[in-house]
Amino acid sequence: MRWIGAGREAKDTEFLELVSSRTGHLYRSACLLTSGDTHYAEDLVQETLSRMYVLWRRSAWTGGRHRIDNPAAYAHTMMVRTFLAQQRRRSSGERPTGELPEPEGRESDSTLRLTLLDALGRMPAKDRAVLVLRYWEDRSVEETAEVLRSSSGAVRTRTTRALARIRALLGDSLAELAAR
């Protein structure tokens, strides 16, 4: 097998540029998906990027047969699908525990953030995914449906129900925390 040296190096450079520009956003989205479990979020981003790299390298060796038109969107889609697949495999009683580390210098919204993360953590994985995709990543119903491999109507229904669930979980505490 003959390696395409110059093409492979260019692809590696492109991949490193993608990683350096999108890792922060992937990590923030992963933190929301995992309800603030930073270790699980890091693992999720790492798995997503390693899968992307395999696909990326394969396209360099085959002359671009596996072209990715929008690598950033593809990475987010792959991360959400990886998260949902892992949630299906995890036992229903398995819950990560531990304290969330507080970043230095950010104390103003920590209680609100922790309350929201806790509420997200008590929701089903697909509800969390819908809320993160629709409201954190600001994706349309159609884009969310594509990522979740679902219909637009199902996404609208799940969004409505997920919002009702999170409101019920938060109760009056959200208004009190937001007023502080």
Side-chain angles (χ1 to χ4, degrees), residues 4-65:
I4 305 169
R8 188 178 69 197
E9 289 175 13
K11 279 291 195 181
D12 285 349
T13 302
E14 287 176 8
F15 184 77
L16 289 174
E17 289 173 7
L18 171 72
V19 169
S20 65
S21 69
R22 300 305 299 175
T23 299
H25 189 72
L26 283 170
Y27 177 71
R28 287 187 294 277
S29 294
C31 282
L32 289 171
L33 285 171
T34 61
S35 302
D37 184 342
T38 57
H39 299 291
Y40 182 25
E42 289 171 355
D43 291 344
L44 188 58
V45 170
Q46 183 66 35
E47 185 169 344
T48 299
L49 292 176
S50 63
R51 288 181 181 193
M52 284 280 300
Y53 185 69
V54 169
L55 184 64
W56 204 272
R57 293 290 295 228
R58 190 178 311 142
S59 71
W61 294 333
T62 59
R65 197 174 82 221

Side-chain angles (χ1 to χ4, degrees), residues 71-82:
Y74 189 84
H76 277 87
T77 298
M78 183 180 287
M79 184 177 70
V80 170
R81 288 181 180 166
T82 300

